[in-house]
Amino acid sequence: MNFGDHERVELSELCSALVDGTLDTAQRRRLAEMLATSEEARRFYVRAMSLSASLHEYAGEMQAEAPDGVPANERPATAMNWTLGGLAAAAAVVLAFWLGGFLKTERAGDVAASEKDGDESVAQISGAKNCVWRGDAFQPGDELRRGQRIELVSGFAEITFDSGAQVTIEGPALLAVNSEWEAALDRGTLKAIVPAEAVGFHVANPAVDVVEPGTEFSVVADVGGTREVFVTKGGVEVQSPDAAQRDQPGLVLRENQARRFAENGPTEVRDRDQKLERLARKTPLDRLVQPANFTHWSFDEINGAVFPGVAIGVESGDHGAKIRAAADFDFASLRTPGRFLDGVHFDGTVSATASFAGLSARTPRTLAWWAKVREDAPLSEAGAMLAWSGAEIGWNRNPQFGALGALRTKTGRGVMAGTTPLRDGRWHHLAVVLKPGRKPDAMQIRQYVDGRLEGGPMKRGVKKMMARQGSGPEAGAPDVLTMGAAPDGTFFRGDMDELFIADRVLAPQEIRQLMTRNQPLRAEPLAAN
């Protein structure tokens, strides 16, 4: 649909009615129609809902919070809590269905602008078989940057995107890696596997959007511009360029369906069954097996004033996290039902520290854990869940950096905040991937919430914050990981469980493995699940 000034005003009125709770049936249908047929409308809606929620929530927190530096006790709930709940639910609905499209459009430009050196990787070659490349040659393990074009003369190459989508191209093929959420196939054959966490992944020319979890589909493109789309599992929405120009809705294809797109419009694929059978065949690929070393705190037990930690894949050592609390503190009060067995409850007065050699060095790292934050948690309880020299990870308390209550990572380079509110009293699996860039001060951050890639543009921190973080520990000084508090003395209040720290970048499949099975993948970590 054409999204002009008239439609923008109409959508604004519909969003206001939704927030006010006055949206009637006809308006609800109209809102659903606009969101289903216009990507611009979806972006407008996400921004409007996020802004409304942030403004209301921030105003409520300002009313409930004491000035900075004054200890804050429990505050009574404000009268607007029901509004916040409604806004959070509305935002959750739109994010569940449209977040993929929002990220691949909004974030693509913003993050690319922050990575001025063109160093941002968004995918990785995860498998190959008999590959002959034109131009740059790639091997399993090689990273692909945003906007990079690759040409495969012959053979098979598998690409795992940071969103979790996985595509295999068969040469001759020319592919552009546009973002974590989008690839463009100029020619050749592409087969894609899209898990639930990567719904919203997009293949251009023609536009193919995944609309169902666990979707598997293929696109075959020839040099003349003809495209054939096949769905072997799940469902996709396909919109040819001419249909997009006429503002026509896309065509939804489901399992064992196919369409051919040419200048004369979409038609049936005559030899569909034979092609589906060929595309369904599995091709064994050569993969790079990347062993990872983990340190793991399960929080299932407390030995005196220590959370025991274990090493996985490395030599044994002392990985215990020492609890810091008042002399008469009851350590048993830290025990709480966790996501797996027991967890730890940080009450806003205690923290734990563990020596961790090399944690602040400019090396790849992945941190994954479970966290639960109560719905009415005030800003004073937003201390870091995890912190070390030059970095803090927690939930966002500053709307300057993004959505309030979302996962936030601060490094010496700046701040990144996600979009999913964590203050809902539920367990969420969180993962932060840190990857050094080419420049000495560049650090690429990837955030995952419940297995799904999310985040906003990296924003520069204020000078005071940058000065406090410094450039790292003194030479020879041991790195220290702090759980439950930030260096500035603010504490985190909430529950945590099953903290893993890996010494390399974990693939999306590996993060999902930690989330669903609470253990690392033991072999072929980049293989499709």
Side-chain angles (χ1 to χ4, degrees):
M1 64 172 285
N2 180 33
F3 192 73
D5 291 341
H6 175 76
E7 288 75 20
R8 187 172 286 102
V9 171
E10 181 185 8
L11 182 55
S12 179
E13 293 174 349
L14 292 173
C15 290
S16 297
L18 177 61
V19 171
D20 294 337
T22 61
L23 198 69
D24 59 29
T25 302
Q27 290 175 314
R28 191 176 299 277
R29 289 198 187 109
R30 176 56 178 160
L31 177 60
E33 177 187 1
M34 296 181 76
L35 295 178
T37 57
S38 171
E39 186 173 352
E40 179 66 23
R42 297 194 289 271
R43 295 202 302 268
F44 182 97
Y45 179 87
V46 171
R47 287 195 295 267
M49 291 296 100
S50 177
L51 179 61
S52 295
S54 294
L55 289 176
H56 278 281
E57 198 162 356
Y58 188 58
E61 296 289 359
M62 292 299 290
Q63 293 179 23
E65 287 294 298
D68 288 344
V70 178
N73 298 321
E74 293 291 333
R75 265 50 172 205
T78 66
M80 67 174 62
N81 279 351
W82 67 271
T83 304
L84 297 180
L87 287 172
V93 170
V94 71
L95 288 174
F97 288 95
W98 304 117
L99 186 56
F102 173 69
L103 290 174
K104 73 193 177 204
T105 53
E106 291 295 317
R107 188 177 55 207
D110 291 338
V111 176
S114 71
E115 296 287 343
K116 295 180 180 179
D117 58 353
D119 191 33
E120 187 194 15
S121 65
V122 296
Q124 183 182 69
I125 302 291
S126 51
K129 189 69 173 180
N130 302 326
C131 287
V132 176
W133 299 93
R134 177 169 285 119
D136 293 336
F138 301 95
Q139 300 292 332
D142 289 348
E143 296 179 347
L144 301 176
R145 299 183 303 276
R146 182 185 302 276
Q148 187 168 359
R149 295 171 66 85
I150 59 176
E151 185 168 3
L152 181 64
V153 177
S154 61
F156 299 84
E158 179 188 81
I159 303 165
T160 297
F161 288 75
D162 286 353
S163 63
Q166 196 169 68
V167 306
T168 300
I169 56 175
E170 179 182 355
L174 179 60
L175 182 78
V177 179
N178 292 341
S179 76
E180 312 93 319
W181 296 92
E182 180 180 300
L185 181 68
D186 287 349
R187 65 176 180 273
T189 299
L190 174 152
K191 295 193 288 185
I193 300 176
V194 184
E197 293 80 9
V199 167
F201 184 76
H202 177 85
V203 175
N205 296 328
V208 181
D209 279 297
V210 176
V211 297
E212 292 184 9
T215 291
E216 299 180 16
F217 67 95
S218 299
V219 179
V220 179
D222 65 27
V223 293
T226 299
R227 305 289 189 269
E228 292 181 340
V229 179
F230 304 83
V231 180
T232 51
K233 183 179 179 181
V236 300
E237 181 180 9
V238 186
Q239 188 174 48
S240 60
D242 60 323
Q245 293 176 1
R246 296 196 298 268
D247 295 326
Q248 294 180 347
L251 174 67
V252 175
L253 299 179
R254 302 195 182 277
E255 188 168 335
N256 294 328
Q257 292 184 334
R259 285 294 186 278
R260 183 175 187 270
F261 296 86
E263 293 183 357
N264 59 346
T267 58
E268 295 285 345
V269 178
R270 295 181 179 178
D271 49 354
R272 180 196 64 185
D273 294 340
Q274 293 88 336
K275 289 183 176 180
L276 279 170
E277 181 180 359
R278 184 181 69 83
L279 292 170
R281 296 171 188 163
K282 302 294 183 181
T283 301
L285 300 176
D286 299 325
R287 303 181 184 279
L288 173 66
V289 178
Q290 294 179 294
N293 299 316
F294 291 84
T295 304
H296 177 215
W297 291 270
S298 68
F299 303 113
D300 289 338
E301 57 182 284
I302 301 176
N303 290 342
V306 175
F307 294 121
V310 299
I312 303 175
V314 295
E315 294 182 1
S316 61
D318 183 11
H319 301 284
K322 299 179 181 178
I323 303 171
R324 294 183 173 183
D328 59 347
F329 185 79
D330 179 14
F331 293 108
S333 65
L334 295 175
R335 302 289 294 272
T336 188
R339 183 60 180 81
F340 291 90
L341 299 179
D342 286 341
V344 56
H345 173 68
F346 289 102
D347 67 355
T349 67
V350 300
S351 62
T353 59
S355 296
F356 201 111
L359 183 59
S360 63
R362 291 190 69 257
T363 57
R365 193 78 63 184
T366 302
L367 302 94
W369 71 104
W370 289 90
K372 182 168 67 173
V373 182
R374 60 196 181 100
E375 294 182 74
D376 57 347
L379 298 182
S380 59
E381 298 177 357
M385 299 179 191
L386 303 172
W388 62 94
S389 179
E392 298 177 19
I393 306 174
W395 59 268
N396 184 38
R397 60 181 292 175
N398 189 341
Q400 173 187 354
F401 297 121
L404 285 169
L407 179 63
R408 183 179 77 165
T409 302
K410 295 197 303 184
T411 68
R413 183 181 174 93
V415 180
M416 174 179 284
T419 53
T420 301
L422 303 181
R423 290 186 292 177
D424 57 7
R426 301 178 180 179
W427 285 106
H428 290 281
H429 188 263
L430 311 177
V432 174
V433 176
L434 303 173
K435 184 190 307 181
R438 294 179 183 175
K439 292 186 177 181
D441 63 342
M443 180 67 75
Q444 184 176 331
I445 298 174
R446 284 284 182 265
Q447 297 188 147
Y448 295 81
V449 176
D450 298 325
R452 184 175 178 88
L453 175 68
E454 66 163 45
M458 175 74 78
K459 297 185 179 181
R460 296 284 179 175
V462 296
K463 293 182 180 179
K464 182 178 180 181
M465 183 192 76
M466 299 289 285
R468 185 181 73 238
Q469 290 177 338
S471 58
E474 297 180 0
D479 286 345
V480 175
L481 171 69
T482 300
M483 309 172 190
D488 63 2
T490 57
F491 286 86
F492 164 69
R493 183 172 182 177
D495 299 343
M496 290 178 57
D497 197 14
E498 303 298 343
L499 171 61
F500 288 86
I501 301 182
D503 64 352
R504 66 167 173 82
V505 171
L506 297 185
Q509 296 92 326
E510 295 176 281
I511 293 174
R512 292 200 303 271
Q513 169 83 3
L514 291 176
M515 178 179 68
T516 57
R517 300 186 181 180
N518 197 39
Q519 60 183 9
L521 281 171
R522 297 181 180 178
E524 294 192 353
L526 296 179
N529 289 342

